[in-house]
Amino acid sequence: MPSGIEVTKQALDDFAKVQRHMLIAKEEGATKTYESLKKDYLFLKTFLNVSGVNLTDIDEIKE
């Protein structure tokens, strides 16, 4: 079973990946893709906030 830090690390990696894809989707005008990714983004952001991770410097989307 993964430890809390391993789960948080994976969530941080996923958060960074989703943000990269959101920025690309926005640039390309892929609104459906952006909205789909936004759901993942909000879930991960909530999870990381509850886990005590400060997202101030790493949250590029700010939604």
Side-chain angles (χ1 to χ4, degrees), residues 2-59:
S3 69
I5 194 73
E6 291 169 328
V7 171
T8 302
K9 164 95 171 67
Q10 183 62 52
L12 278 168
D13 291 344
D14 292 345
F15 186 73
K17 184 178 179 179
V18 166
Q19 284 193 105
R20 276 193 316 272
H21 291 294
M22 285 177 75
L23 292 169
I24 292 167
K26 190 172 193 173
E27 181 180 314
E28 293 178 342
T31 55
K32 288 181 182 179
T33 301
Y34 185 89
E35 288 303 317
S36 176
L37 288 165
K38 186 175 176 181
K39 290 177 183 179
D40 294 335
Y41 163 83
L42 291 173
F43 172 81
L44 289 165
K45 185 174 182 174
T46 301
F47 174 80
L48 291 167
N49 278 325
V50 168
S51 299
V53 176
N54 182 349
L55 299 174
T56 304
D57 292 332
I58 62 172
D59 187 0

